[in-house]
Structures are given as C-alpha cells and as structure tokens.
Amino acid sequence: MFRPKVPTNPTPTGLVTPPAIEPTAVITRAQYALPPAPTAPALASMPTRPTVQLTPGALVMVVVGGTAAVLVVGAVLVSMLLAVAITAASLAICALVVRSLIASEHKRR
C-alpha cells in the first residue's frame, strides 16, 4: 500500500532515434591538469577590491544611523499595535451599546 507503483515502459518498437545530447567522456584524475599558477606580473595586474576603512567619524555615523533605524521601526510597530488596541476597544464598546439597546427593547415588550 505504501510502496509506489512505478509504471514499466514497454520495449520500443520501430525506429529508435539516438539521443540529442552526446555523452561526454569521463576524465580521470591523471588526465585532469590544473591551470598554471599565475606569475608575479599577472598578480600585479589583477584589479584589487577597495578595502573598507572605518574612521571614527564614519563609525559614529554608522552607530547613529543604526540607532535611528531601530527607533523608527520601533515607533512604527508601537503605533500599529496602538491602532489595533484602539480599534478593538471601540468595537467592544460598540458591541456593549448594541447589546444594551437590544436588551432594553426586549424588556419593553
């Protein structure tokens, strides 16, 4: 019951076409040659990536920017939480008022 049933393909009849992609030869470790190591002039001509140097002023700016981002995100999240809380409270008050109106109307009859 839990074993998959794999359909069996019948043997092909008629013309069989060769595969569209030719199989490649297997290269053994002995046949594989590493590229030659670059020489000193080749290393000097390679472009180097610029290094990032943080000066004290840049470090202060990074800290101030991170602090500002955290404060802004915190203010947005708190305001969203406050909006949900105010909406829930107003809906609860509306529900109490409607329940009170319905109950007072049933008492009059």
Side-chain angles (χ1 to χ4, degrees):
M1 180 173 145
F2 294 109
R3 293 186 180 180
K5 295 179 182 176
V6 179
T8 57
N9 293 331
T11 57
T13 57
L15 295 175
V16 178
T17 59
I21 301 173
E22 293 293 325
T24 58
V26 177
I27 299 174
T28 62
R29 186 176 286 265
Q31 295 171 340
Y32 183 73
L34 292 174
T39 59
L43 288 177
S45 66
M46 293 177 66
T48 59
R49 291 183 6 192
T51 57
V52 178
Q53 295 179 356
L54 286 178
T55 61
L59 189 60
V60 168
M61 290 304 295
V62 168
V63 170
V64 168
T67 304
V70 167
L71 289 176
V72 168
V73 169
V76 167
L77 291 177
V78 167
S79 64
M80 288 173 61
L81 180 65
L82 187 61
V84 169
I86 290 173
T87 304
S90 64
L91 282 175
I93 291 171
C94 288
L96 288 176
V97 169
V98 169
R99 189 174 107 185
S100 168
L101 290 174
I102 291 174
S104 66
E105 190 162 318
H106 281 295
K107 288 182 181 178
R108 288 185 193 161
R109 290 183 183 188

Coordinates of all heavy atoms in Angstrom, one line a residue:
M1 N 0.8 -1.2 0.0 CA 0.0 0.0 0.0 C 0.9 1.3 0.0 O 0.6 2.2 -0.7 CB -0.9 0.0 1.2 CG -1.8 1.2 1.3 SD -2.9 0.9 2.7 CE -3.0 2.6 3.3
F2 N 2.0 1.2 0.8 CA 2.8 2.4 0.9 C 3.9 2.4 -0.2 O 4.7 3.4 -0.2 CB 3.4 2.6 2.3 CG 2.3 2.8 3.3 CD1 1.9 1.9 4.2 CD2 1.6 4.0 3.3 CE1 1.0 2.1 5.1 CE2 0.7 4.3 4.2 CZ 0.3 3.3 5.1
R3 N 4.0 1.4 -1.0 CA 5.1 1.4 -2.0 C 4.6 2.0 -3.3 O 3.5 1.6 -3.7 CB 5.5 -0.1 -2.2 CG 6.2 -0.7 -1.0 CD 6.8 -2.0 -1.3 NE 7.4 -2.6 -0.2 CZ 8.0 -3.7 -0.1 NH1 8.0 -4.5 -1.2 NH2 8.6 -4.1 0.9
P4 N 5.3 2.9 -3.9 CA 4.9 3.5 -5.1 C 4.9 2.5 -6.2 O 5.8 1.6 -6.3 CB 5.9 4.6 -5.3 CG 7.1 4.2 -4.6 CD 6.6 3.4 -3.4
K5 N 3.9 2.6 -7.1 CA 3.8 1.7 -8.2 C 4.4 2.5 -9.4 O 3.8 3.4 -9.9 CB 2.4 1.3 -8.5 CG 1.8 0.5 -7.4 CD 0.4 0.1 -7.7 CE -0.2 -0.7 -6.5 NZ -1.6 -1.0 -6.7
V6 N 5.6 2.1 -9.9 CA 6.3 2.7 -11.0 C 5.8 2.0 -12.3 O 6.0 0.8 -12.4 CB 7.8 2.6 -10.8 CG1 8.5 3.3 -12.0 CG2 8.2 3.3 -9.5
P7 N 5.3 2.7 -13.2 CA 4.9 2.1 -14.4 C 6.1 1.6 -15.2 O 7.1 2.3 -15.2 CB 4.1 3.2 -15.2 CG 4.6 4.4 -14.7 CD 5.0 4.2 -13.2
T8 N 6.0 0.5 -15.8 CA 7.0 0.0 -16.7 C 6.8 0.4 -18.1 O 5.7 0.3 -18.6 CB 7.1 -1.6 -16.5 OG1 5.9 -2.1 -16.9 CG2 7.5 -2.0 -15.1
N9 N 7.8 0.8 -18.8 CA 7.7 1.2 -20.2 C 7.9 0.0 -21.0 O 8.8 -0.8 -20.9 CB 8.7 2.3 -20.5 CG 8.5 3.6 -19.8 OD1 7.4 3.9 -19.5 ND2 9.6 4.3 -19.5
P10 N 7.0 -0.2 -22.0 CA 7.2 -1.3 -22.9 C 8.5 -1.1 -23.8 O 8.9 0.0 -23.9 CB 6.0 -1.3 -23.7 CG 5.5 0.0 -23.7 CD 5.9 0.6 -22.4
T11 N 9.0 -2.2 -24.3 CA 10.2 -2.0 -25.2 C 9.8 -1.3 -26.4 O 8.7 -1.4 -27.0 CB 10.7 -3.4 -25.5 OG1 9.7 -4.1 -26.2 CG2 11.2 -4.1 -24.3
P12 N 10.7 -0.4 -26.9 CA 10.3 0.4 -28.1 C 10.3 -0.5 -29.3 O 11.0 -1.4 -29.5 CB 11.5 1.4 -28.2 CG 12.6 0.8 -27.4 CD 12.0 -0.1 -26.4
T13 N 9.4 -0.1 -30.2 CA 9.2 -0.8 -31.4 C 9.5 0.2 -32.5 O 9.2 1.4 -32.4 CB 7.8 -1.4 -31.6 OG1 6.9 -0.3 -31.5 CG2 7.6 -2.5 -30.5
G14 N 10.0 -0.3 -33.6 CA 10.2 0.6 -34.8 C 11.6 1.3 -34.7 O 12.5 0.7 -34.1
L15 N 11.7 2.5 -35.3 CA 13.0 3.2 -35.3 C 13.3 3.8 -33.9 O 12.4 4.4 -33.3 CB 13.0 4.2 -36.4 CG 12.8 3.7 -37.8 CD1 12.7 4.9 -38.8 CD2 14.1 2.9 -38.2
V16 N 14.5 3.7 -33.5 CA 14.9 4.3 -32.3 C 15.9 5.4 -32.7 O 16.9 5.2 -33.3 CB 15.6 3.3 -31.3 CG1 16.1 4.0 -30.1 CG2 14.6 2.2 -31.0
T17 N 15.6 6.7 -32.2 CA 16.4 7.8 -32.6 C 17.6 7.9 -31.5 O 17.3 7.6 -30.4 CB 15.7 9.1 -32.6 OG1 15.1 9.3 -31.3 CG2 14.6 9.1 -33.6
P18 N 18.7 8.3 -32.0 CA 19.8 8.5 -31.0 C 19.5 9.6 -30.1 O 18.8 10.5 -30.4 CB 21.1 8.7 -31.9 CG 20.5 9.2 -33.1 CD 19.2 8.6 -33.3
P19 N 20.2 9.7 -28.9 CA 19.9 10.8 -28.0 C 20.4 12.1 -28.6 O 21.3 12.2 -29.4 CB 20.7 10.5 -26.8 CG 21.7 9.5 -27.2 CD 21.1 8.8 -28.4
A20 N 19.7 13.2 -28.3 CA 20.0 14.5 -28.8 C 21.3 15.1 -28.3 O 22.0 15.8 -28.9 CB 18.9 15.5 -28.5
I21 N 21.7 14.6 -27.1 CA 22.9 15.1 -26.5 C 23.9 13.9 -26.4 O 23.6 12.8 -25.9 CB 22.7 15.6 -25.0 CG1 21.7 16.8 -25.1 CG2 24.0 16.0 -24.4 CD1 21.3 17.3 -23.7
E22 N 25.1 14.1 -27.0 CA 26.1 13.1 -27.0 C 26.7 12.9 -25.6 O 27.0 13.9 -24.9 CB 27.2 13.4 -28.0 CG 26.7 13.3 -29.4 CD 26.3 12.0 -29.9 OE1 26.9 11.0 -29.4 OE2 25.3 11.9 -30.6
P23 N 26.9 11.7 -25.1 CA 27.5 11.6 -23.8 C 29.0 12.0 -23.8 O 29.6 11.9 -24.9 CB 27.4 10.1 -23.5 CG 27.2 9.5 -24.8 CD 26.5 10.5 -25.7
T24 N 29.4 12.6 -22.8 CA 30.8 13.1 -22.7 C 31.7 12.0 -22.1 O 31.3 11.1 -21.4 CB 30.9 14.4 -21.9 OG1 30.4 14.1 -20.6 CG2 30.1 15.5 -22.5
A25 N 33.0 12.2 -22.4 CA 33.9 11.2 -21.9 C 34.2 11.6 -20.4 O 34.2 12.7 -20.0 CB 35.2 11.3 -22.7
V26 N 34.6 10.5 -19.7 CA 34.9 10.7 -18.3 C 36.4 11.0 -18.2 O 37.2 10.3 -18.7 CB 34.6 9.5 -17.4 CG1 35.0 9.6 -16.0 CG2 33.1 9.2 -17.6
I27 N 36.7 12.1 -17.5 CA 38.1 12.5 -17.3 C 38.6 12.0 -16.0 O 38.0 12.3 -14.9 CB 38.3 14.0 -17.4 CG1 37.8 14.5 -18.8 CG2 39.7 14.4 -17.2 CD1 37.8 16.0 -18.9
T28 N 39.6 11.2 -16.0 CA 40.2 10.7 -14.8 C 41.1 11.7 -14.1 O 41.5 12.7 -14.7 CB 41.0 9.4 -15.1 OG1 42.1 9.7 -15.9 CG2 40.1 8.3 -15.7
R29 N 41.5 11.4 -12.9 CA 42.3 12.4 -12.2 C 43.7 12.5 -12.9 O 44.3 13.6 -12.9 CB 42.5 11.9 -10.8 CG 43.3 12.9 -9.9 CD 43.3 12.4 -8.5 NE 42.0 12.6 -7.8 CZ 41.7 13.6 -7.0 NH1 42.5 14.6 -6.9 NH2 40.5 13.7 -6.5
A30 N 44.2 11.5 -13.5 CA 45.5 11.5 -14.1 C 45.4 12.4 -15.4 O 46.4 13.1 -15.7 CB 46.0 10.2 -14.5
Q31 N 44.3 12.5 -16.1 CA 44.2 13.3 -17.3 C 43.9 14.7 -17.0 O 44.1 15.6 -17.8 CB 43.0 12.7 -18.2 CG 43.3 11.4 -18.7 CD 42.1 10.8 -19.4 OE1 41.0 11.2 -19.2 NE2 42.3 9.8 -20.3
Y32 N 43.4 15.0 -15.8 CA 43.0 16.4 -15.4 C 44.2 17.2 -15.1 O 45.0 16.8 -14.2 CB 42.0 16.4 -14.3 CG 41.5 17.7 -13.9 CD1 40.6 18.4 -14.7 CD2 41.9 18.3 -12.8 CE1 40.1 19.6 -14.4 CE2 41.4 19.6 -12.4 CZ 40.5 20.2 -13.2 OH 40.0 21.4 -12.9
A33 N 44.4 18.3 -15.7 CA 45.6 19.1 -15.4 C 45.1 20.4 -14.9 O 44.2 21.1 -15.4 CB 46.4 19.4 -16.7
L34 N 45.8 20.8 -13.8 CA 45.5 22.1 -13.2 C 46.0 23.3 -14.1 O 47.0 23.1 -14.7 CB 46.1 22.2 -11.8 CG 45.5 21.3 -10.8 CD1 46.3 21.4 -9.5 CD2 44.0 21.6 -10.5
P35 N 45.3 24.4 -14.1 CA 45.9 25.5 -14.8 C 47.2 26.0 -14.2 O 47.3 25.9 -13.0 CB 44.8 26.6 -14.7 CG 44.0 26.2 -13.6 CD 44.1 24.7 -13.4
P36 N 48.0 26.6 -15.0 CA 49.3 27.0 -14.4 C 49.1 28.2 -13.4 O 48.2 29.0 -13.5 CB 50.1 27.5 -15.6 CG 49.1 27.8 -16.6 CD 47.9 26.9 -16.4
A37 N 49.9 28.2 -12.4 CA 49.8 29.2 -11.3 C 50.2 30.6 -11.9 O 51.1 30.7 -12.7 CB 50.7 28.9 -10.2
P38 N 49.5 31.6 -11.6 CA 49.8 33.0 -12.1 C 51.2 33.4 -11.6 O 51.5 33.2 -10.5 CB 48.7 33.8 -11.6 CG 48.1 33.1 -10.5 CD 48.3 31.7 -10.7
T39 N 51.8 34.1 -12.5 CA 53.1 34.6 -12.1 C 53.0 36.0 -11.4 O 51.9 36.5 -11.3 CB 54.0 34.8 -13.4 OG1 53.3 35.7 -14.3 CG2 54.2 33.4 -14.0
A40 N 54.1 36.5 -10.9 CA 54.1 37.8 -10.2 C 53.5 38.9 -11.0 O 52.7 39.7 -10.5 CB 55.4 38.1 -9.7
P41 N 53.9 39.1 -12.3 CA 53.3 40.3 -13.0 C 51.8 40.1 -13.2 O 51.1 41.0 -13.3 CB 54.0 40.2 -14.4 CG 55.3 39.5 -14.1 CD 55.0 38.5 -13.0
A42 N 51.3 38.8 -13.4 CA 49.9 38.6 -13.6 C 49.2 39.0 -12.3 O 48.0 39.5 -12.4 CB 49.6 37.2 -13.9
L43 N 49.7 38.7 -11.1 CA 49.1 39.1 -9.9 C 49.0 40.6 -9.7 O 48.1 41.1 -9.2 CB 49.8 38.4 -8.7 CG 49.7 36.9 -8.5 CD1 50.5 36.5 -7.4 CD2 48.2 36.6 -8.3
A44 N 50.1 41.3 -10.2 CA 50.1 42.7 -10.0 C 49.1 43.4 -10.9 O 48.5 44.5 -10.6 CB 51.5 43.3 -10.3
S45 N 48.8 42.8 -12.1 CA 47.8 43.4 -13.0 C 46.4 43.1 -12.6 O 45.5 43.8 -13.2 CB 48.1 42.9 -14.4 OG 47.8 41.5 -14.5
M46 N 46.1 42.2 -11.7 CA 44.7 41.9 -11.3 C 44.2 43.1 -10.5 O 44.9 43.6 -9.7 CB 44.7 40.6 -10.5 CG 45.0 39.4 -11.3 SD 45.1 37.9 -10.3 CE 43.4 37.8 -9.8
P47 N 42.9 43.5 -10.8 CA 42.3 44.6 -10.0 C 42.1 44.1 -8.6 O 41.6 43.0 -8.4 CB 41.0 44.9 -10.8 CG 40.7 43.6 -11.5 CD 42.0 42.9 -11.8
T48 N 42.4 45.0 -7.7 CA 42.1 44.7 -6.3 C 40.9 45.4 -5.8 O 40.5 46.4 -6.3 CB 43.3 45.2 -5.4 OG1 43.5 46.6 -5.6 CG2 44.6 44.4 -5.8
R49 N 40.2 44.7 -4.9 CA 39.0 45.3 -4.4 C 39.4 46.4 -3.4 O 40.3 46.2 -2.6 CB 38.1 44.2 -3.7 CG 37.6 43.3 -4.7 CD 36.7 42.2 -4.1 NE 36.4 42.4 -2.7 CZ 35.8 41.5 -1.9 NH1 35.5 40.3 -2.4 NH2 35.6 41.7 -0.6
P50 N 38.6 47.5 -3.4 CA 38.9 48.5 -2.4 C 38.6 48.0 -1.0 O 37.6 47.4 -0.7 CB 38.0 49.7 -2.8 CG 36.9 49.1 -3.5 CD 37.5 47.8 -4.2
T51 N 39.5 48.3 0.0 CA 39.3 48.0 1.3 C 38.4 49.0 2.0 O 38.5 50.2 1.7 CB 40.6 47.8 2.1 OG1 41.3 49.0 2.0 CG2 41.4 46.7 1.5
V52 N 37.6 48.6 2.9 CA 36.7 49.5 3.6 C 37.4 49.9 4.9 O 37.8 49.0 5.7 CB 35.3 48.8 4.0 CG1 34.5 49.7 4.8 CG2 34.6 48.4 2.7
Q53 N 37.6 51.2 5.1 CA 38.3 51.7 6.3 C 37.3 52.5 7.0 O 36.8 53.5 6.5 CB 39.5 52.5 5.9 CG 40.6 51.6 5.2 CD 41.8 52.4 4.9 OE1 41.8 53.6 5.0 NE2 42.8 51.8 4.4
L54 N 37.0 52.1 8.3 CA 36.1 52.9 9.1 C 36.9 53.9 9.9 O 37.7 53.5 10.8 CB 35.3 52.0 10.0 CG 34.2 51.2 9.2 CD1 33.4 50.3 10.2 CD2 33.2 52.1 8.6
T55 N 36.7 55.1 9.7 CA 37.3 56.2 10.5 C 36.4 56.4 11.7 O 35.2 55.9 11.8 CB 37.4 57.5 9.7 OG1 36.1 57.9 9.3 CG2 38.3 57.3 8.5
P56 N 36.9 57.0 12.8 CA 36.0 57.2 14.0 C 34.7 58.0 13.6 O 33.6 57.7 14.1 CB 36.9 58.0 14.9 CG 38.3 57.7 14.5 CD 38.2 57.4 13.1
G57 N 34.8 59.0 12.7 CA 33.6 59.7 12.3 C 32.6 58.8 11.5 O 31.4 58.9 11.8
A58 N 33.1 57.9 10.7 CA 32.3 57.0 9.9 C 31.6 56.0 10.9 O 30.5 55.6 10.7 CB 33.1 56.3 8.8
L59 N 32.4 55.6 11.9 CA 31.8 54.6 12.8 C 30.7 55.2 13.6 O 29.7 54.6 13.9 CB 33.0 54.1 13.8 CG 32.6 53.0 14.7 CD1 32.2 51.8 13.9 CD2 33.8 52.7 15.6
V60 N 30.9 56.5 14.0 CA 29.8 57.2 14.7 C 28.6 57.3 13.9 O 27.5 57.2 14.3 CB 30.3 58.6 15.2 CG1 29.2 59.5 15.7 CG2 31.4 58.4 16.3
M61 N 28.8 57.6 12.6 CA 27.7 57.8 11.7 C 26.9 56.5 11.5 O 25.7 56.4 11.4 CB 28.1 58.3 10.3 CG 28.6 59.8 10.4 SD 27.3 60.9 11.0 CE 26.1 60.7 9.7
V62 N 27.7 55.4 11.5 CA 27.0 54.0 11.3 C 26.2 53.7 12.6 O 25.0 53.3 12.5 CB 28.1 52.9 11.1 CG1 27.5 51.6 11.3 CG2 28.7 53.1 9.7
V63 N 26.7 54.0 13.8 CA 26.0 53.8 15.0 C 24.8 54.7 15.1 O 23.7 54.2 15.5 CB 26.9 54.0 16.2 CG1 26.2 54.0 17.5 CG2 28.0 53.0 16.3
V64 N 24.9 56.0 14.7 CA 23.8 56.9 14.8 C 22.7 56.4 13.8 O 21.5 56.4 14.1 CB 24.2 58.3 14.5 CG1 23.1 59.2 14.3 CG2 25.1 58.8 15.7
G65 N 23.1 56.0 12.6 CA 22.2 55.6 11.6 C 21.4 54.3 12.0 O 20.2 54.2 11.8
G66 N 22.2 53.4 12.6 CA 21.5 52.2 13.1 C 20.5 52.5 14.2 O 19.4 51.9 14.3
T67 N 20.9 53.3 15.1 CA 20.0 53.7 16.2 C 18.8 54.4 15.7 O 17.7 54.1 16.2 CB 20.8 54.6 17.2 OG1 22.0 54.0 17.7 CG2 19.9 55.0 18.4
A68 N 18.9 55.3 14.7 CA 17.8 55.9 14.2 C 16.8 54.9 13.5 O 15.6 55.0 13.6 CB 18.2 57.0 13.2
A69 N 17.4 54.0 12.8 CA 16.6 53.0 12.1 C 15.8 52.1 13.1 O 14.6 51.9 12.9 CB 17.5 52.1 11.2
V70 N 16.5 51.8 14.2 CA 15.8 51.0 15.2 C 14.7 51.8 15.9 O 13.6 51.3 16.1 CB 16.8 50.5 16.3 CG1 16.1 49.9 17.5 CG2 17.7 49.4 15.7
L71 N 14.9 53.1 16.1 CA 13.9 53.9 16.7 C 12.7 54.1 15.8 O 11.5 54.1 16.2 CB 14.5 55.2 17.1 CG 15.4 55.2 18.3 CD1 16.0 56.6 18.6 CD2 14.7 54.7 19.6
V72 N 13.0 54.3 14.5 CA 11.9 54.5 13.6 C 11.0 53.2 13.4 O 9.8 53.3 13.5 CB 12.4 54.9 12.2 CG1 11.4 54.9 11.1 CG2 13.0 56.4 12.3
V73 N 11.7 52.1 13.3 CA 11.0 50.8 13.2 C 10.2 50.5 14.5 O 9.0 50.1 14.4 CB 11.9 49.7 12.9 CG1 11.3 48.3 13.0 CG2 12.5 49.8 11.5
G74 N 10.8 50.8 15.6 CA 10.0 50.6 16.9 C 8.8 51.5 17.0 O 7.8 51.1 17.4
A75 N 9.0 52.8 16.5 CA 7.8 53.7 16.6 C 6.7 53.3 15.7 O 5.5 53.3 16.0 CB 8.3 55.1 16.2
V76 N 7.1 52.8 14.5 CA 6.0 52.3 13.6 C 5.3 51.1 14.2 O 4.1 51.0 14.1 CB 6.7 51.9 12.2 CG1 5.7 51.1 11.3 CG2 7.1 53.2 11.5
L77 N 6.1 50.1 14.7 CA 5.4 48.9 15.3 C 4.6 49.3 16.5 O 3.5 48.7 16.7 CB 6.5 47.9 15.7 CG 7.3 47.3 14.6 CD1 8.4 46.3 15.1 CD2 6.3 46.5 13.7
V78 N 5.0 50.2 17.4 CA 4.2 50.6 18.5 C 2.9 51.3 18.0 O 1.8 51.1 18.6 CB 5.0 51.5 19.5 CG1 4.1 52.2 20.5 CG2 6.1 50.7 20.2
S79 N 3.0 52.1 17.0 CA 1.8 52.8 16.5 C 0.8 51.8 15.9 O -0.4 52.0 16.1 CB 2.2 53.9 15.5 OG 2.8 53.3 14.4
M80 N 1.3 50.8 15.2 CA 0.4 49.8 14.7 C -0.3 49.0 15.8 O -1.5 48.7 15.7 CB 1.2 48.8 13.8 CG 1.6 49.5 12.4 SD 2.7 48.4 11.5 CE 1.7 47.0 11.2
L81 N 0.5 48.7 16.8 CA -0.1 48.0 18.0 C -1.1 48.9 18.7 O -2.2 48.4 19.1 CB 1.0 47.6 19.0 CG 0.6 46.8 20.2 CD1 0.0 45.5 19.8 CD2 1.7 46.7 21.2
L82 N -0.8 50.1 18.8 CA -1.8 51.1 19.4 C -3.1 51.2 18.6 O -4.2 51.2 19.1 CB -1.1 52.4 19.6 CG -1.9 53.5 20.4 CD1 -2.2 53.0 21.8 CD2 -1.2 54.8 20.4
A83 N -2.9 51.2 17.2 CA -4.1 51.3 16.4 C -5.0 50.1 16.5 O -6.2 50.2 16.5 CB -3.6 51.5 14.9
V84 N -4.4 48.9 16.6 CA -5.1 47.7 16.8 C -5.8 47.7 18.1 O -7.0 47.3 18.2 CB -4.2 46.4 16.6 CG1 -4.9 45.2 17.1 CG2 -3.7 46.3 15.2
A85 N -5.2 48.1 19.2 CA -5.8 48.2 20.5 C -6.9 49.2 20.5 O -8.0 48.9 21.1 CB -4.7 48.6 21.5
I86 N -6.8 50.3 19.9 CA -7.9 51.3 19.9 C -9.1 50.8 19.1 O -10.2 50.9 19.5 CB -7.4 52.6 19.3 CG1 -6.4 53.3 20.3 CG2 -8.5 53.6 19.0 CD1 -5.7 54.5 19.8
T87 N -8.8 50.1 18.0 CA -9.9 49.5 17.2 C -10.6 48.5 18.0 O -11.9 48.4 18.0 CB -9.3 48.9 15.9 OG1 -8.6 50.0 15.2 CG2 -10.4 48.4 15.0
A88 N -9.9 47.6 18.7 CA -10.5 46.5 19.5 C -11.4 47.1 20.6 O -12.5 46.7 20.9 CB -9.4 45.6 20.0
A89 N -10.9 48.2 21.3 CA -11.6 48.8 22.4 C -12.9 49.4 21.8 O -14.0 49.3 22.4 CB -10.7 49.8 23.1
S90 N -12.8 50.1 20.7 CA -14.0 50.8 20.2 C -15.0 49.7 19.7 O -16.2 49.9 19.9 CB -13.6 51.7 19.0 OG -13.1 51.0 18.0
L91 N -14.6 48.6 19.1 CA -15.5 47.6 18.7 C -16.2 47.0 20.0 O -17.4 46.6 19.9 CB -14.8 46.5 17.9 CG -14.5 46.9 16.5 CD1 -13.7 45.8 15.8 CD2 -15.8 47.1 15.7
A92 N -15.4 46.8 21.0 CA -16.0 46.2 22.3 C -17.1 47.2 22.8 O -18.1 46.7 23.3 CB -14.9 46.0 23.3
I93 N -16.8 48.5 22.8 CA -17.8 49.5 23.3 C -19.0 49.4 22.4 O -20.2 49.5 22.9 CB -17.1 50.9 23.4 CG1 -16.1 50.9 24.5 CG2 -18.2 51.9 23.6 CD1 -15.3 52.1 24.5
C94 N -18.8 49.4 21.1 CA -20.0 49.3 20.2 C -20.8 48.1 20.5 O -22.0 48.1 20.4 CB -19.5 49.3 18.8 SG -18.9 51.0 18.2
A95 N -20.1 46.9 20.7 CA -20.9 45.7 21.0 C -21.7 45.8 22.3 O -22.8 45.3 22.4 CB -19.9 44.5 21.1
L96 N -21.1 46.5 23.3 CA -21.8 46.6 24.5 C -23.0 47.5 24.4 O -24.1 47.3 24.9 CB -20.9 47.2 25.6 CG -19.9 46.3 26.2 CD1 -18.9 47.0 27.1 CD2 -20.5 45.1 26.9
V97 N -22.9 48.6 23.6 CA -24.0 49.5 23.3 C -25.1 48.8 22.6 O -26.3 48.9 22.9 CB -23.5 50.8 22.6 CG1 -24.7 51.6 22.1 CG2 -22.6 51.6 23.5
V98 N -24.8 48.1 21.5 CA -25.8 47.3 20.8 C -26.5 46.3 21.6 O -27.7 46.1 21.6 CB -25.1 46.7 19.5 CG1 -26.1 45.7 18.8 CG2 -24.7 47.8 18.5
R99 N -25.7 45.6 22.5 CA -26.3 44.6 23.3 C -27.3 45.2 24.3 O -28.3 44.7 24.6 CB -25.2 43.8 24.1 CG -25.7 42.6 24.8 CD -24.6 41.9 25.4 NE -24.5 42.1 26.8 CZ -23.6 41.7 27.6 NH1 -22.6 41.0 27.2 NH2 -23.6 41.9 28.9
S100 N -26.9 46.4 24.8 CA -27.7 47.1 25.8 C -29.0 47.6 25.1 O -30.1 47.5 25.7 CB -26.9 48.3 26.3 OG -27.8 49.2 27.0
L101 N -28.9 48.1 23.9 CA -30.1 48.5 23.2 C -31.1 47.4 22.9 O -32.3 47.5 23.0 CB -29.7 49.2 21.9 CG -29.0 50.6 22.0 CD1 -28.6 51.1 20.7 CD2 -30.0 51.6 22.7
I102 N -30.5 46.2 22.5 CA -31.3 45.1 22.2 C -32.0 44.6 23.5 O -33.2 44.2 23.5 CB -30.5 44.0 21.5 CG1 -30.1 44.4 20.1 CG2 -31.3 42.7 21.5 CD1 -29.1 43.5 19.4
A103 N -31.2 44.6 24.6 CA -31.8 44.1 25.9 C -32.9 45.0 26.4 O -33.9 44.6 26.9 CB -30.7 44.0 26.9
S104 N -32.7 46.3 26.2 CA -33.7 47.3 26.7 C -35.0 47.2 25.9 O -36.1 47.4 26.3 CB -33.2 48.7 26.7 OG -32.9 49.1 25.4
E105 N -34.8 46.9 24.6 CA -36.0 46.8 23.7 C -36.8 45.5 24.0 O -38.0 45.5 24.0 CB -35.6 46.7 22.2 CG -36.8 46.9 21.3 CD -36.4 47.3 19.9 OE1 -35.5 48.2 19.8 OE2 -36.9 46.7 19.0
H106 N -36.1 44.4 24.5 CA -36.8 43.2 24.8 C -37.6 43.4 26.2 O -38.6 42.8 26.4 CB -35.9 42.1 25.0 CG -35.5 41.5 23.6 ND1 -36.3 40.8 22.8 CD2 -34.3 41.4 23.0 CE1 -35.7 40.4 21.7 NE2 -34.4 40.8 21.8
K107 N -37.1 44.3 27.0 CA -37.7 44.5 28.3 C -39.0 45.3 28.2 O -40.0 45.2 28.9 CB -36.8 45.2 29.3 CG -35.7 44.4 29.8 CD -34.8 45.2 30.8 CE -33.7 44.3 31.3 NZ -32.8 45.0 32.2
R108 N -39.1 46.2 27.2 CA -40.3 47.0 27.0 C -41.5 46.2 26.5 O -42.6 46.5 26.7 CB -40.0 48.1 25.9 CG -39.1 49.1 26.4 CD -38.9 50.2 25.4 NE -37.8 51.1 25.7 CZ -37.2 51.9 24.9 NH1 -37.6 51.9 23.6 NH2 -36.2 52.6 25.3
R109 N -41.3 45.1 25.8 CA -42.4 44.3 25.3 C -43.0 43.5 26.3 O -43.2 43.2 27.2 CB -41.9 43.4 24.1 CG -41.5 44.3 22.9 CD -41.1 43.4 21.8 NE -40.7 44.2 20.7 CZ -40.5 43.7 19.5 NH1 -40.6 42.4 19.3 NH2 -40.1 44.5 18.5

